[in-house]
Amino acid sequence: MVERLQKKNILIGFIVLVLTLFTACSTQSNSESANAENEDTAKEGGTLSVVRLSDATKLDPHFITDIPSANITYQKVYETLVVPDKDFKIQPLLATEWEVINETTWEFKLREGVKFHDGTPFNAEAVKTTFDRLLDPKTESPQREKLSMINEVKIVDDYTVQLLLDYPYAPLLSILASQEGSIISPKVLKENPDQLMDHPVGTGPFLFEHWKSGQEISLNKNKDYWGEKPSLDRVVFKVVPEDATRLAMIETGEAHINDQVPVTELDRIVASDSMGLYRTEGLAVEYIGFNTSKKPLDDIRVRKAISHAIERDSIIKGVYNDVGTLANSAMSPKVFGYSENVAPFDYDLNEAKKLLKVAGFEDNLNLTLLTNDRKERINMAEVIQSQLKGIGVNIEIQVMEYGSYIDTIDKSDHDLFIGGWGNATGDGDYNQYNLFHSDSQGSPGNHFYYSNPDVDQLIEAARQETNNDKRLALYEEAMEIELDEAVYVPIRNYEHLAVHSKTVSGMWLNAANYLMINEVKLK
């Protein structure tokens, strides 16, 4: 299959390069030895308990816009045509093979004998129904633009589909492998699509059981799963807002996995006899974003002044305990399209004060800084509040539960915000189009409400360019403009962490920060 793909045309050289560039390098601390040790004493069955800071916001993959929600269903309830492995290289899943017929025609052979959880057969009609719904403007999916290059899904036969594109799109496989490419039961889509918001129906190894809002979401083992069946009987995702409580539950064995780990507790976890720590470099970047459509942040001089006043190194050291690395842009070094040549504004208080004076804000300027209720982000907000006070900018910190935080930035009801973009594909298009293109304002990801026709053109050109060097140059030019216009302040390249009970083996996080549990066993 891969050989067919490599020989077909110039797109494939690009794909191979991308998939090797963002290989996920895991450093698993004492987790690796614990996993190996536990394999010998692991047993079949049992209920896995995963404790989390926040509840999901929705469970329909065409409307999910955050990793915490997608983490419930991705490769658990829902599956995709192709899937990234542990090295983030694309492998077959619901599609067994594929071929690039020409630059704008991709053909996929589908796996036979697969059924959705409601008994509906998986076939070409299911693939077409899923993508037709996503691409229909009437659906109003915030994910539509991510696959908008697909002009038509053509059924060749029951188990063969072709994706006909409007233009060449080299990273197609990477977006099909992300949660946006989840294949949904056509029966539900035709009869009751609204139920998908809180009752997902896919082909995956786990079936949805129930969602008690604000408390827990549970999945059951799919005994009729087409592939290798999971060992676990059940998985429960529990909402536990307090960091200390989640960690204590892992330590005492009351829960098994916490994928939102306080960075202040790393030494305690590593030294523990009952807990293991999993660490892996990520594809995400954390930043301070400006709502560029809202006064006075629509003034580039104000944004530049604030950018000059933020001392980023102290945030990495003091807030994050050196977990992750200092970012130079909104694109991680592990993402295709990254450039080391771009840079944010230097720390310069005198320049910051000068810019504010020219902008007419020599006296006090009052702004709000929005963050969700994760401890490290609240701590970061307090550091920024202190730093900006030095230039006469008074910051009111607004802390919200994650769902309310998402709703607020989706509606442009904010000044500054602490955000992060969890790139799900490892490709620059997922980063640039969703964060900075004018058509992505709001829920698709552009919470800066930034619009620049020149940047739009660069992003669109990069989408269609098949020459790697030219594509990299286009992204570098776009990122230079975004930084020069002070749309955001890059802070941190992510390192993903999870703490688990040493009774757990087989768990891992992929580079997009999805918790993978299909191979998990309990001691």
Side-chain angles (χ1 to χ4, degrees):
M1 171 197 65
V2 176
E3 288 78 5
R4 292 174 65 194
L5 200 57
Q6 288 173 330
K7 293 175 183 177
K8 198 65 189 178
N9 61 41
I10 191 171
L11 295 180
I12 306 312
F14 171 82
I15 294 165
V16 172
L17 175 63
V18 170
L19 297 177
T20 54
L21 275 175
F22 57 82
T23 296
C25 302
S26 297
T27 52
Q28 299 174 12
S29 186
N30 55 341
S31 171
E32 191 170 290
S33 58
N35 274 346
E37 179 184 335
N38 290 341
E39 278 292 337
D40 296 333
T41 54
K43 61 183 180 181
E44 289 293 314
T47 297
L48 180 73
S49 175
V50 181
V51 286
R52 323 172 72 229
L53 170 66
S54 306
D55 202 357
T57 57
K58 52 188 75 72
L59 298 179
D60 184 336
H62 292 171
F63 290 88
I64 292 173
T65 56
D66 60 281
I67 295 291
S69 296
N71 231 333
I72 301 293
T73 59
Y74 180 70
Q75 305 305 341
K76 303 172 187 73
V77 176
Y78 286 117
E79 294 181 303
T80 45
L81 294 179
V82 293
V83 66
D85 63 14
K86 290 184 180 180
D87 293 327
F88 234 74
K89 294 179 181 177
I90 299 295
Q91 303 296 336
L93 193 60
L94 290 178
T96 57
E97 59 181 302
W98 54 90
E99 181 179 4
V100 183
I101 306 296
N102 57 55
E103 286 189 335
T104 56
T105 305
W106 293 61
E107 184 170 282
F108 294 83
K109 297 293 184 182
L110 306 180
R111 192 175 299 278
E112 299 184 30
V114 177
K115 288 188 177 182
F116 289 92
H117 300 154
D118 59 6
T120 306
F122 165 76
N123 53 25
E125 182 63 36
V127 175
K128 180 174 174 58
T129 302
T130 293
F131 288 124
D132 282 355
R133 186 243 194 173
L134 172 63
L135 296 170
D136 185 348
K138 294 178 182 177
T139 303
E140 297 184 335
S141 167
Q143 306 292 17
R144 181 179 182 272
E145 287 300 322
K146 294 172 186 172
L147 285 159
S148 62
M149 74 295 301
I150 300 176
N151 177 269
E152 180 186 351
V153 180
K154 179 181 177 182
I155 295 176
V156 178
D157 59 44
D158 283 351
Y159 292 97
T160 308
V161 294
Q162 290 182 349
L163 301 185
L164 309 182
L165 311 185
D166 283 327
Y167 50 82
Y169 184 68
L172 181 66
L173 290 180
S174 67
I175 188 69
L176 292 177
S178 67
Q179 84 88 24
E180 291 88 344
S182 299
I183 306 300
I184 304 170
S185 165
K187 180 180 179 182
V188 176
L189 288 176
K190 291 173 182 176
E191 295 179 1
N192 187 17
D194 291 343
Q195 83 162 65
L196 295 167
M197 286 293 191
D198 55 18
H199 191 119
V201 182
T203 60
F206 292 96
L207 304 109
F208 176 80
E209 182 185 20
H210 67 237
W211 182 0
K212 297 178 181 177
S213 182
Q215 299 179 49
E216 68 178 39
I217 297 174
S218 63
L219 312 176
N220 287 324
K221 177 178 181 176
N222 179 7
K223 295 178 181 178
D224 297 320
Y225 181 56
W226 62 266
E228 185 174 345
K229 295 176 179 59
S231 168
L232 299 167
D233 291 328
R234 192 166 178 258
V235 184
V236 180
F237 297 88
K238 296 181 179 179
V239 179
V240 181
E242 300 80 16
D243 289 342
T245 304
R246 290 199 307 277
L247 193 59
M249 291 173 74
I250 303 296
E251 196 165 26
T252 61
E254 186 180 349
H256 298 108
I257 298 173
N258 170 19
D259 60 353
Q260 293 161 316
V261 181
V263 296
T264 54
E265 301 292 345
L266 297 191
D267 291 342
R268 171 185 168 189
I269 295 167
V270 171
S272 171
D273 292 330
S274 61
M275 294 187 289
L277 179 66
Y278 190 99
R279 307 178 70 153
T280 187
E281 296 175 59
L283 303 175
V285 172
E286 199 157 28
Y287 47 76
I288 300 155
F290 299 102
N291 185 344
T292 63
S293 68
K294 193 173 182 181
K295 292 185 178 297
L297 297 174
D298 60 342
D299 188 329
I300 190 173
R301 296 168 298 183
V302 175
R303 301 198 303 269
K304 284 183 176 181
I306 292 172
S307 300
H308 276 301
I310 294 174
E311 210 286 289
R312 303 178 307 126
D313 285 288
S314 64
I315 294 173
I316 299 295
K317 294 183 176 70
V319 174
Y320 283 101
N321 198 21
D322 286 321
V323 173
T325 57
L326 188 66
N328 70 321
S329 70
M331 196 180 294
S332 159
K334 295 178 68 61
V335 173
F336 179 86
Y338 169 79
S339 172
E340 62 182 13
N341 300 323
V342 300
F345 292 103
D346 294 334
Y347 179 61
D348 189 336
L349 290 181
N350 289 330
E351 182 65 17
K353 292 175 182 177
K354 191 184 303 181
L355 284 164
L356 282 180
K357 184 177 181 179
V358 172
F361 293 100
E362 187 173 8
D363 297 325
N364 287 345
L365 173 61
N366 300 312
L367 296 168
T368 59
L369 173 59
L370 177 66
T371 179
N372 70 306
D373 54 356
R374 187 162 185 173
K375 184 178 180 181
E376 290 88 350
R377 288 195 173 180
I378 296 172
N379 292 345
M380 191 203 301
E382 291 170 349
V383 170
I384 293 165
Q385 181 185 52
S386 176
Q387 291 179 348
L388 294 185
K389 194 170 185 180
I391 61 168
V393 176
N394 299 316
I395 292 293
E396 178 187 347
I397 298 171
Q398 202 172 0
V399 180
M400 289 188 174
E401 176 274 328
Y402 189 73
S404 299
Y405 163 86
I406 292 292
D407 286 343
T408 300
I409 58 176
D410 279 354
K411 295 172 182 174
S412 188
D413 293 336
H414 61 286
D415 293 337
L416 292 87
F417 69 105
I418 296 175
W421 187 250
N423 192 307
T425 66
D427 187 84
D429 181 66
Y430 195 95
N431 176 284
Q432 286 291 297
Y433 197 96
N434 296 306
L435 282 179
F436 301 106
H437 196 280
S438 300
D439 288 345
S440 296
Q441 290 185 13
S443 57
N446 183 352
H447 295 123
F448 315 111
Y449 294 86
Y450 174 66
S451 181
N452 182 321
D454 293 335
V455 170
D456 289 349
Q457 288 178 13
L458 288 166
I459 293 170
E460 290 163 11
R463 271 195 151 187
Q464 302 180 45
E465 180 58 64
T466 58
N467 180 286
N468 292 337
D469 292 338
K470 291 180 180 179
R471 198 161 179 252
L472 289 169
L474 289 166
Y475 284 138
E476 183 174 293
E477 187 177 351
M479 287 189 286
E480 283 177 346
I481 296 171
E482 293 151 10
L483 286 165
D484 286 346
E485 295 194 341
V487 179
Y488 66 99
V489 181
I491 299 295
R492 185 176 73 110
N493 300 310
Y494 271 61
E495 181 182 5
H496 300 308
L497 306 175
V499 59
H500 61 85
S501 164
K502 288 190 176 179
T503 62
V504 173
S505 64
M507 64 135 303
W508 55 286
L509 298 176
N510 77 4
N513 202 27
Y514 286 121
L515 175 62
M516 311 305 284
I517 59 171
N518 294 355
E519 300 171 4
V520 165
K521 293 184 178 180
L522 301 177
K523 187 174 179 180

